[in-house]
Amino acid sequence: MRKSKWLIFLLTIAMIFSLIGCQSKDSEDVTGDGLFNPGTYTGEGQGLSKIKVEVTVTEDKITDIKVVEHNETPGVGDVALEQIPAEIIEYQSLGVDIVAGATMSSNGIIEAITQALEKAGADIAALKKVPAKTVTKTGETIEKETDVVVIGAGGAGLAAAVSAHQNGAEVIVLEKMPKVGGNTIISGAAYNAVDPKRQQLQGIEDSVDKHFQQTYEGGDKLGKPELIRILVENAYPALEWLESMGMEFTDEVFTVLGGLWPRAHKPVEPLGTGYIKTYMNYIDNNSGIEVLLNTRATELIKENDRVVGVKAETPEGNLIVRARNGVVLATGGFSANVEMREEYNKIWPSLKNLKTTNHPGATGDGIAMAKAVGANLIDMEQIQLLPMGDPETGSLSGNIEQAVENRIFVNKQGKRFVDEGARRDVMTQALFEQEDAFMWVILDSKNYPTGDVKNNFNETIDELVAAGRAYKADTLEDLAKQIGVDPDNLVEAVNKFNEAVETGGPDEFGRTLFQWKIDTPPFYAGARVPTVHHTMGGVEINEKAQVLDVNGNVIPGLYAAGEVTGGIHGSNRLGGNALADITVFGRIAGENAAKNK
Ligand code: ADP
């Protein structure tokens, strides 16, 4: 009895001590000490590639985040990999915004950091609730004045800014997104130009007249011939202009999807990053061009029939920038604006549920602003779709094709259905007629001699296969099984294609662009669907990139270049012509705005 009393006493004491112990631990957490178990933790997330991080924490602070592995797109995804860790550390919060235009990379890096912080014992829900912005609106309207105001920091806008500066102007560029580049930086980036050096070395016959004819006829003769003339004649000089500023293109030209002829130049740097880097290097190395990010132009200021400035919104408040010489509108197209697409589309089935290859800023703001000052809009119903969208995102990423000549498209039955070297609208129309408007791109290992060869989205074929975004097999029968198409049909489609490669075509679909047979394993397949890509209509301009009103008269002080304009590509833009267009007309718009004193 006495013994058991002692035992109870001792147990009670032990319990009290253990309770005190527990309480003190709990209270530590409640007072904010010990938010984390100090140390360095790793985490992994999935962006376009695998993203690995190392996160270092003290008891109460996230002190360092290192990205130790990733293969996100330079100039696009890697912007998120810099910005998001910096914001998480600055605000000690997981409630940070994703970086516009880099959704997958943003989600991937947040996932990786979250995983590391979980391992560090963090309260993730609480960290997500911490506010991650401290912008204060002043409520004041700031006024600035310069020679030339450029609206939009994509390819056309930056070309205009640099060109205006080279012609003696001081420039302010307004960009609504938190980064420069627009669609240009995420584009396939092929640049069409008749090239006296490269094409000759490859034995390719071409001429400026042929480029003109293909552009004019490829757009069903809807484009304005005088603008197309400017485009084709200045494409090569503008390419040399880019090269003079340090931009590099590979030595060989190729035929880009829907480009109709081997005159596409491929930048050495992935996607459109080379163009944007080239302009930003110029801007960084020369004073006189100011780029304002997170600054959305809302209205053109017109006084006495002349455009004299721009109203804009910034996170801090309103801004008015007055332009002594001119305003260049370079806001891009409206592929990412579903309402505008629905308003103007008359040609395609409803585009409401289609995804887009475009960045989220492609909302047609410039078209609305120009219309409000009397600009004429042309060809607004001409919306270009591509048959090459990622089924999940609509983006061009994950596209396994390397060159038009060396791949075929098959439908869900494993049958070919179109000339894969045709115009983009022809191919997309044919794709809409297939089951689920869905197809597979089929090619062989001559396109990917090793697993680490990249597509033009900077993705290796091995990564795409590992992520389930492409399929690989040693036989066509096995490939067919993996992708769920009839093996006999796929084998027959490839055999017939190979016969046509031997004869040089035209084959049963009228295809004439061939290079290699599909005969060298491993074989690859990648899924694709229609996606909204380019809006060919827009603001009408003349050869000087001056904006015209509804009566065909110039609106003094207002210039436009790039996808915001209409009247060049007609009903169908040739692949590879957009980069030439935005560079040529951006350059012209900048020069003329600068000289418009
Ligand atoms: P382009 O190929 O014609 O240069 P891009 O899409 O590459 O077209 O670039 C257009 C740029 O204009 C994008 O960076 C986009 O975010 C920007 N932009 C669009 N609307 C506005 C606006 N209202 N104010 C400022 N920038 C804008």
Side-chain angles (χ1 to χ4, degrees):
M1 199 59 186
R2 279 183 83 177
K3 221 173 161 188
S4 66
K5 262 193 182 168
W6 260 110
L7 199 66
I8 288 168
F9 176 74
L10 283 175
L11 278 172
T12 310
I13 295 285
M15 267 173 70
I16 288 168
F17 270 105
S18 76
L19 271 176
I20 290 169
C22 282
Q23 253 176 10
S24 74
K25 184 96 179 51
D26 278 349
S27 64
E28 249 175 41
D29 286 348
V30 170
T31 55
D33 298 327
L35 284 177
F36 313 109
N37 301 317
T40 297
Y41 301 87
T42 58
E44 253 182 56
Q46 186 65 38
L48 280 171
S49 63
K50 192 199 287 172
I51 302 171
K52 263 193 185 173
V53 295
E54 276 175 13
V55 179
T56 305
V57 291
T58 60
E59 270 197 357
D60 59 355
K61 226 173 167 210
I62 306 165
T63 53
D64 189 31
I65 300 173
K66 277 198 185 76
V67 180
V68 289
E69 189 185 316
H70 84 93
N71 192 18
E72 301 299 286
T73 314
V76 187
D78 60 3
V79 174
L81 303 198
E82 274 172 34
Q83 199 166 312
I84 287 179
E87 283 181 2
I88 288 176
I89 292 174
E90 181 175 354
Y91 299 106
Q92 296 291 306
S93 162
L94 277 175
V96 294
D97 283 340
I98 59 167
V99 175
T103 310
M104 286 180 75
S105 308
S106 301
N107 289 335
I109 181 84
I110 293 172
E111 184 191 341
I113 296 169
T114 304
Q115 196 189 74
L117 289 172
E118 266 167 5
K119 290 183 191 166
D123 180 345
I124 301 296
L127 281 175
K128 281 188 178 159
K129 280 190 204 140
V130 179
K133 281 274 171 292
T134 50
V135 173
T136 44
K137 265 201 176 243
T138 59
E140 286 168 30
T141 297
I142 296 167
E143 291 213 18
K144 286 177 176 266
E145 189 172 304
T146 188
D147 296 330
V148 173
V149 181
V150 176
I151 312 176
L158 294 178
V162 169
S163 157
H165 185 267
Q166 288 176 338
N167 284 281
E170 183 188 88
V171 184
I172 293 181
V173 183
L174 311 179
E175 169 53 56
K176 72 172 172 181
M177 305 300 277
K179 64 186 188 63
V180 298
N183 269 339
T184 305
I185 203 167
I186 56 165
S187 71
Y191 186 117
N192 280 346
V194 178
D195 185 324
K197 290 185 204 144
R198 292 178 181 84
Q199 283 180 317
Q200 210 176 25
L201 281 175
Q202 284 171 258
I204 298 162
E205 272 185 39
D206 202 3
S207 68
V208 168
D209 279 342
K210 190 178 181 83
H211 191 185
F212 175 90
Q213 282 308 330
Q214 288 186 320
T215 303
Y216 186 51
E217 281 162 22
D220 294 319
K221 302 186 178 173
L222 257 186
K224 289 170 75 174
E226 66 273 26
L227 295 183
I228 300 174
R229 207 24 94 190
I230 298 274
L231 167 68
V232 297
E233 282 178 357
N234 291 284
Y236 190 69
L239 186 136
E240 285 186 306
W241 177 63
L242 284 165
E243 287 179 327
S244 76
M245 290 187 284
M247 170 120 191
E248 287 183 285
F249 292 90
T250 60
D251 289 340
E252 298 207 338
V253 295
F254 71 108
T255 312
V256 66
L257 174 114
L260 308 183
W261 204 251
R263 64 169 76 90
H265 295 69
K266 186 181 161 117
V268 167
E269 304 226 20
L271 305 178
T273 54
Y275 299 93
I276 303 303
K277 250 195 193 173
T278 303
Y279 296 130
M280 292 313 289
N281 274 344
Y282 180 94
I283 291 169
D284 291 343
N285 292 323
N286 291 278
S287 61
I289 306 179
E290 191 182 359
V291 180
L292 304 176
L293 299 176
N294 297 307
T295 303
R296 189 171 73 89
T298 53
E299 198 182 322
L300 297 168
I301 304 168
K302 200 174 174 188
E303 285 170 6
N304 305 323
D305 286 337
R306 185 189 160 104
V307 172
V308 294
V310 184
K311 288 187 185 170
E313 285 170 359
T314 78
E316 292 81 22
N318 295 331
L319 172 72
I320 288 179
V321 194
R322 298 190 76 86
R324 287 183 284 264
N325 302 8
V327 173
V328 179
L329 204 53
T331 45
F334 61 91
S335 287
N337 185 331
V338 177
E339 273 171 28
M340 263 180 100
R341 263 158 43 180
E342 285 300 288
E343 182 185 344
Y344 289 108
N345 171 35
K346 295 193 187 86
I347 293 167
W348 298 101
S350 170
L351 301 176
K352 217 173 182 170
N353 297 322
L354 249 58
K355 299 189 167 76
T356 177
T357 60
N358 283 207
H359 84 128
T363 48
D365 305 9
I367 290 170
M369 284 187 274
K371 198 174 159 196
V373 295
N376 192 40
L377 304 183
I378 52 172
D379 298 342
M380 289 298 287
E381 67 283 9
Q382 303 296 347
I383 298 173
Q384 179 165 77
L385 310 192
L386 283 188
M388 303 308 281
D390 181 291
E392 298 288 319
T393 63
S395 134
L396 293 178
S397 75
N399 179 10
I400 64 170
E401 76 172 348
Q402 294 282 19
V404 166
E405 287 81 354
N406 301 320
R407 84 291 187 259
I408 57 169
F409 303 156
V410 298
N411 61 18
K412 284 195 163 178
Q413 287 77 51
K415 294 184 175 169
R416 282 182 65 206
F417 55 91
V418 73
D419 165 10
E420 297 92 343
R423 286 166 39 156
R424 292 172 163 188
D425 53 349
V426 171
M427 290 188 284
T428 312
Q429 195 65 56
L431 179 54
F432 268 118
E433 286 157 20
Q434 308 310 306
E435 187 184 339
D436 298 332
F438 181 100
M439 71 176 191
W440 296 97
V441 175
I442 307 286
L443 46 75
D444 74 0
S445 64
K446 290 198 287 303
N447 295 273
Y448 291 97
T450 59
D452 53 11
V453 172
K454 291 176 173 175
N455 63 6
N456 70 353
F457 244 74
N458 211 33
E459 300 157 323
T460 70
I461 192 73
D462 276 356
E463 276 165 10
L464 292 174
V465 172
R469 301 175 74 203
Y471 294 84
K472 173 183 179 182
D474 283 331
T475 63
L476 287 168
E477 287 84 351
D478 185 22
L479 190 68
K481 251 186 243 158
Q482 288 191 41
I483 63 177
V485 308
D486 184 301
D488 292 342
N489 288 347
L490 183 64
V491 170
E492 192 189 324
V494 170
N495 285 344
K496 271 201 164 163
F497 169 78
N498 288 345
E499 281 166 26
V501 177
E502 254 173 45
T503 65
D507 70 1
E508 57 184 314
F509 300 100
R511 174 165 168 163
T512 54
L513 290 172
F514 300 101
Q515 186 183 17
W516 300 320
K517 289 183 184 176
I518 299 177
D519 62 358
T520 309
F523 301 99
Y524 294 97
R528 297 285 98 181
V529 297
T531 182
V532 182
H533 185 54
H534 187 99
T535 48
M536 288 158 299
V539 177
E540 188 175 10
I541 54 167
N542 64 14
E543 294 103 301
K544 292 183 173 164
Q546 292 171 299
V547 175
L548 302 179
D549 69 13
V550 287
N551 300 313
N553 298 320
V554 165
I555 300 177
L558 186 59
Y559 300 79
E563 199 176 338
V564 71
T565 66
I568 297 169
H569 308 289
S571 60
N572 170 65
R573 178 177 65 75
L574 298 198
N577 267 2
L579 261 305
D581 169 15
I582 65 177
T583 314
V584 165
F585 283 98
R587 194 179 174 204
I588 292 174
E591 177 178 348
N592 289 329
K595 289 178 175 167
N596 182 45
K597 286 183 188 156

